[in-house]
Amino acid sequence: MDGARWVALAAFGANLVFFFTNGLGHGLAGILAGNVALLGSLVTLQIVATVILARWIARSLDEGQVGRVERLFGTLRGFGVAGAAANLLASELGRHVGAGRLSIAESVWRLLEPRLDRLGVLRPLAVANRMAHLSQVGRYREALELGECVAAPLRPPALRHVRDASALVCNNRASAFVSLGRLDEAEEALAGGFALSPRPAILEALDVNRAWLAFHRGDPGRAVAEAIAFLARTPAPALGGLWGLLLARAGEPDLAMRALERSPAPATDRERFWIEAARGFVLARRGDLASAREGFDRAIALPVPPGPSALPPA
């Protein structure tokens, strides 16, 4: 039986597993009928299998059931689709790192690391996500060591999502380099990232890191100029809290507050840290030291690792 038919069986089996273990779906008869109807289109079944696996893995991880996902890999190995599940884990790793669920992210990485060489074009994405995790907990040297495996420059015709993920690796290398005081290497890494991807979300991370790099080089004027230029062309910055913190640190409280007002509601402790710290610096600059201290206390109380850099791994 060829690989596509194994995927069909996997889709059928995954539907049953999902139904019995999660109580979802519209009844067993509907699930069976749906799979029988789809047997005539193996391409469709491959898509369905991926959707089923993605839904099942995401729900299991959201419930903290990492062991359930690990057992799934053992089951899928016989169906020849364990590679597809590993690709899904690469994306799940980023989702949990981005949401600040770092204990789950660590468990996902333990599942993913032995399968890293099988990921193919998604390997840079997995590496970028793991580097972001390591940098968030202050393990900068480990992040740099891991990033070496995809640090070689890419050029078209490399796939766009490969270039995007590799640009994130460059960005996260820059973050780690600055945190270790290796500023020239950080600048080189950022240049590599800008050369790889035009995607707006990635360019914002690179832009804010370039501005912070200028600040850490002792050039707050250039950092402010970088921030003003970016915010002038970006009505709704995703990293508004970090831009606000930069401007507050650079002695521009009014610009900082305008950036904070345009910032999305914080979704993670790291984003709350940026906003609280930025407000503390703004209030201190305006002479309200008591309120500034309260803001700094709120920032310090958040479980964000200390470090000399506010650069964000993406």
Side-chain angles (χ1 to χ4, degrees), residues 55-68:
R55 188 182 181 196
W56 198 92
I57 289 172
R59 182 180 179 109
S60 296
L61 292 175
D62 286 343
E63 294 175 351
Q65 298 292 330
V66 180
R68 184 192 296 171

Side-chain angles (χ1 to χ4, degrees), residues 146-158:
L146 179 62
E148 287 293 338
C149 71
V150 291
L154 297 175
R155 294 289 183 269

